[in-house]
Amino acid sequence: MHIEQVCRRLSCILFGALLLLMAAGGHAQAPAEQAPVAPSIESATPEAPTAVVPTAPDSSAPVDEASAPAADSVNHEAAPEAEPEVDLSAYLGSAGASSSMPSISDPSLRFYGFADFGLRYVDHEVLRNFLGETPSFFLGNVNLYAAADLSENWRSLVEVRFTYLPDGTLDSNFKRVSTVQNDYANIGANLRWGGISLERAWLEYTFNGLLTVRGGSWLTPVGIWNVDHGTPTIIPTMRPFVVSSALFPTRQTGIEVYGSRLIHETTVGYHLTLSNGRGSIASYGDLDKNKALGARLYVGLALGDSTLTIGYSFYLGRNTETDLTVGMAGLQPQITLQHDELSMAGDLLWKWEGLHFQSELFSQQVKYTAAGAAAPPIPGPNGGVFSDFHKVGGYAVLGYRFAAIPIMPYIEGDMLFNNGAELSQPGGPNKVFTLVGGLNYRPIPSVTLKAQYARLMFRPLREETLHVNAFDVVAAWSF
Amino acid sequence: MNTIRSIVSVVIFSTLGVGFSLPDTTQLAVAQSQGALAVIVSPSLTEKDISLALLKRAFRGDVTEFAGVRLVPFNYAPDDPVRVVFDKGVLGYSPTQVGAYWIDRRIRGQGMPPRTVPAPQIMKAVVAKLPGAIGYIPASMVDKTVAVLTVDGVALKAANYPIK
């Protein structure tokens, strides 16, 4: 108990001290810097190198004293009637002024990303074996984006995540995987290599506001959390257990069509998807003849000072896994797992000034085919094969972002029920409840500091509830 | 009981540990001294009125059609006082909120912010030349090279004009 209390207080003290340091820095700043923005985003637009505006307020040319602006202020005074030619090519694109329909975009490649680092304590003996003795510092996500506006209508996005995995993971014999290799570039030194996860890579063409076609690998457009995606954007330190359980596939490879329209003050939008669905090679191959279908419909309402977005999503697909066997006819695929899946979800996002409430409900129904019911690792009552199952879950996050102080205290609850009859059913324990309380502090738009306490309650089939306390202090930043 | 105590201690201790930052209101007060902002488009566009909701949609980065053309919004630098007034009046965002909005949007993989121009003179020149371009300038700088839109049917000089 002593170490637990020490770690709780350590987390509180560490975060409070960090915030005190930030506040002290904030007081020392000049007033003009008190409302910082992320200049790297907005400054992506190239300035016209030859643009000359002699009547600009800060021009060195002599001006009428009566209209001379104050030296330390920006004041857009009325320009004189005769203005010299201004080079607009940087704003109009490579077509320049000579084209009757100039392109407004030059192919421009932008690199940006996000990362997070934190301190975590988990007071569960079994989980510590997986996560290491806690409290532990960790480098979480390091994600890099490459985005390009190829033309006015064509756009591309590639996102990768750099990770230490698979180094340190436990294999099927509970042995830790080591990726240590001799570094040929530094004699005598070792190198521990990690991996790259392709988060998404797509190309899209926009016909109009109602129709954009996207092809490649993309995040499944379900609800809120899967789209928010990055740690600087999400409010808590980590995604809810029900979201991590992926009742919808996190990403798919195929075609997505989407669009939206404003009707008076109401936005109506949609997504339609066609993909390989789920599976071990779904990113680049489909092991069955069924393509997965998905859709999301949403409505965004402006209600006075508040906004309300309500959405509904579904996914219908078949998941097939095969091995290859060598027989008389040569290599033949052998189905090792196959099931049909119907997932549905509803989402709600309500914002009223600083108040933020979001919630999602998920349902996943899985039915194994006769040829594809696999055997679970631990035999269960269903004749030695996985039973069909129906998972239901959801979460809700409520927070309030103060205007004067960019902090947001929040609470969260989430749950996941699995009525499957097998132990070690795909998806884990039978019932999971989580209660979370924390603080989200965004001192500048690019940096988010979070401190969180979570109480997880797992109730597996043995009916003995496991309780886990987890403390996180995380710094997430975009660059 | 320990669980509740832990949650409360994290929230309260951290809140007490935070200093107060100067709110964006000072910057906004300076910016609002600029007066009304005229929403401008090319004179070739046939529509002369735009809804505030449509304007907000365009400057939030969503593909927006108006008068049969796709709008191409142009902005100023984030800390430009004119931009501050526009963002507050149209988007309802302070400069800090605008910065957070665009960061969140690009992490989601959604569109990038509008292009920026350094001065209203260039804004007028771009809008006059590029079909579909839409921008905003101080009302005192309006001339015949651009067309001024009413917003929700309210004229620029009206007392209830929303962007000032």
Side-chain angles (χ1 to χ4, degrees), chain A residues 203-432:
Chain A
L203 173 70
E204 69 177 21
Y205 183 84
T206 298
F207 292 88
N208 53 54
L210 267 179
L211 181 62
T212 296
V213 180
R214 174 181 291 174
S217 175
W218 28 265
L219 297 179
T220 301
V222 53
I224 303 165
W225 206 286
N226 204 48
V227 177
D228 277 356
H229 178 62
T231 40
T233 303
I234 64 174
I235 296 171
T237 61
M238 66 181 77
R239 57 188 63 186
F241 192 84
V242 64
V243 176
S244 298
S245 299
L247 273 63
F248 276 69
T250 302
R251 61 184 55 79
Q252 299 174 65
T253 296
I255 302 293
E256 178 185 359
V257 177
Y258 68 94
S260 65
R261 186 174 184 86
L262 185 70
I263 303 174
H264 296 296
E265 293 190 348
T266 299
T267 300
V268 181
Y270 76 96
H271 295 259
L272 297 174
T273 62
L274 177 72
S275 75
N276 291 341
R278 249 195 247 260
S280 55
I281 68 165
S283 296
Y284 56 89
D286 196 346
L287 293 174
D288 55 49
K289 296 179 181 178
N290 294 331
K291 288 289 179 281
L293 296 174
R296 177 167 186 253
L297 303 173
Y298 65 93
V299 175
L301 305 168
L303 306 172
D305 292 336
S306 70
T307 60
L308 177 66
T309 304
I310 301 172
Y312 166 76
S313 310
F314 84 86
Y315 168 85
L316 179 65
R318 169 168 285 190
N319 179 20
T320 301
E321 303 291 349
T322 63
D323 287 340
L324 294 179
T325 57
V326 180
M328 296 297 293
L331 284 175
Q332 294 290 324
Q334 179 181 12
I335 294 176
T336 56
L337 181 144
Q338 188 176 69
H339 61 70
D340 293 322
E341 174 182 355
L342 171 63
S343 298
M344 292 183 287
D347 59 87
L348 184 148
L349 174 62
W350 180 48
K351 293 184 178 182
W352 179 39
E353 296 184 352
L355 190 69
H356 180 110
F357 177 77
Q358 69 180 69
S359 180
E360 295 182 67
L361 295 175
F362 300 90
S363 166
Q364 180 194 28
Q365 299 176 67
V366 167
K367 182 177 174 58
Y368 288 90
T369 64
I378 301 174
N382 195 42
V385 294
F386 279 125
S387 59
D388 300 341
F389 62 86
H390 184 188
K391 293 183 187 177
V392 177
Y395 77 87
V397 175
L398 175 66
Y400 188 86
R401 179 83 62 186
F402 292 91
I405 316 164
I407 63 168
M408 173 188 275
Y410 62 89
I411 56 174
E412 174 197 324
D414 73 275
M415 61 178 186
L416 176 64
F417 299 145
N418 179 6
N419 74 345
E422 309 297 331
L423 195 62
S424 297
Q425 179 71 265
N430 186 253
K431 294 179 182 177
V432 179

Side-chain angles (χ1 to χ4, degrees), chain B residues 101-156:
Chain B
Y101 172 79
W102 286 111
I103 287 174
D104 293 347
R105 193 174 167 90
R106 72 177 188 175
I107 287 178
R108 295 187 190 105
Q110 296 165 340
M112 298 300 286
R115 291 194 159 208
T116 58
V117 296
Q121 294 86 343
I122 296 182
M123 178 73 82
K124 278 198 303 184
V126 169
V127 167
K129 202 169 190 67
L130 182 64
I134 184 168
Y136 51 95
I137 56 175
S140 58
M141 298 192 66
V142 171
D143 59 27
K144 294 181 179 179
T145 60
V146 293
V148 177
L149 298 178
T150 56
V151 179
D152 284 340
V154 179
L156 179 61

